[in-house]
Amino acid sequence: MRDSRLRTLVRLTFANPVSLVYLGLVVVAALPMVFTPAIERSGFEPVWLLLITEPSSMLLFMLLPDFADGDSGPAIYAVPALAALLHAFLLGLAYRAVRGNRTRRARTTA
């Protein structure tokens, strides 16, 4: 039973076209942030990543006590990653709901 829940979770998060496109956009938005050395950063690298993972990333950042002080550290990488996975899961649920309705209609009309 537990294996099927994990498999469903992975399938909803990674194994549908909508979630894969979204996660691809997140990876592309994260590339400048990952490959720009810390010395040369202008501060605008995380902007696209944070915009793509809105509103969950901002809510998660608000829960961090150090973020208000300006010391985000590794959270600047972890929080958008968690928010992106949450969004991919929710997109997978929506895709399954829409696709499920379409297949049910096709079965009843055929």
Side-chain angles (χ1 to χ4, degrees):
M1 181 82 166
R2 190 168 198 167
D3 182 40
S4 65
R5 286 184 185 175
L6 180 63
R7 183 175 291 152
T8 302
L9 178 71
V10 170
R11 187 180 307 133
L12 286 174
T13 306
F14 299 108
N16 62 68
V18 179
S19 295
L20 286 177
V21 168
Y22 174 74
L23 290 173
L25 287 173
V26 169
V27 167
V28 168
L31 287 177
M33 197 168 101
V34 172
F35 288 115
T36 304
I39 299 169
E40 298 176 11
R41 288 205 177 148
S42 63
F44 289 106
E45 287 84 6
V47 170
W48 285 107
L49 183 61
L50 293 176
L51 286 175
I52 290 174
T53 58
E54 281 285 330
S56 299
S57 60
M58 286 300 146
L59 291 174
L60 289 171
F61 272 126
M62 283 186 206
L63 295 175
L64 294 174
D66 294 335
F67 185 68
D69 298 335
D71 182 29
S72 57
I76 197 74
Y77 299 107
V79 167
L82 289 174
L85 290 174
L86 173 67
H87 290 179
F89 173 72
L90 293 174
L91 285 170
L93 280 176
Y95 179 75
R96 184 175 75 173
V98 168
R99 187 156 186 238
N101 289 338
R102 191 179 322 153
T103 57
R104 280 191 213 124
R105 266 190 256 135
R107 287 182 189 165
T108 58
T109 59

